[in-house]
Amino acid sequence: MAHWLYKSEPSSWSWQQQKDAGDKGTEWTGVRNYLARNNMRAMQIGDKGFFYHSNDGLEIVGIVEVCALAHPDSTAKDDPRWECVDIRAVRDMPKPVSLKDVKANPKLSQMALVTSMRLSVQPVTDEEYAEVCRMGGLDNPPV
């Protein structure tokens, strides 16, 4: 299993909306960056990821999992270049992990959230996943 981070502005799509989507999950649409698209193409069913509130909040607020493999993005009209995966909420972070706290942790200095801040869908290493979960109060994180 791989780990990922998905960024969303809460005014566009919030963690609460993601949770409200239920077990069916939702398409992670609107990504128009080739590297982020390629990250989604690499995802497998069951991969876990962080749900990150960007711009307003700047914190990891929950954990999601991939529930449908990469497929055409329904918001891309007739442009076949753009694909998305479907994700569903798994659980809240007991304590949201702020960008400030991520940047202050030497164990996370190479995390894409720190080094590639603009990328909307990012890989997360197993070590980074475990450390962020620890910081968020998850002793037994979903894997």
Side-chain angles (χ1 to χ4, degrees), residues 26-124:
T26 57
E27 288 186 320
W28 195 254
T29 60
V31 174
R32 301 296 183 265
N33 173 285
Y34 287 107
L35 182 53
R37 183 216 47 201
N38 291 345
N39 285 338
M40 288 191 288
R41 284 181 172 175
M43 293 176 185
Q44 299 297 314
I45 300 290
D47 281 359
K48 301 297 187 285
F50 295 125
F51 192 101
Y52 177 82
H53 275 164
S54 61
N55 292 337
D56 182 19
L58 299 177
E59 58 190 5
I60 295 167
V61 294
I63 295 179
V64 295
E65 74 177 353
V66 176
C67 58
L69 297 176
H71 56 84
D73 182 329
S74 64
T75 66
K77 307 293 182 217
D78 292 324
D79 189 344
R81 292 178 295 170
W82 305 116
E83 298 177 9
C84 65
V85 294
D86 292 13
I87 61 172
R88 66 175 152 234
V90 173
R91 67 164 300 150
D92 295 324
M93 288 298 274
K95 175 186 170 217
V97 179
S98 71
L99 177 61
K100 180 181 176 183
D101 289 340
V102 168
K103 286 182 172 182
N105 186 328
K107 293 180 181 178
L108 301 175
S109 65
Q110 297 305 306
M111 188 173 182
L113 185 59
V114 174
T115 64
S116 303
M117 291 182 59
R118 296 188 52 109
L119 189 60
S120 62
V121 179
Q122 310 174 348
V124 174

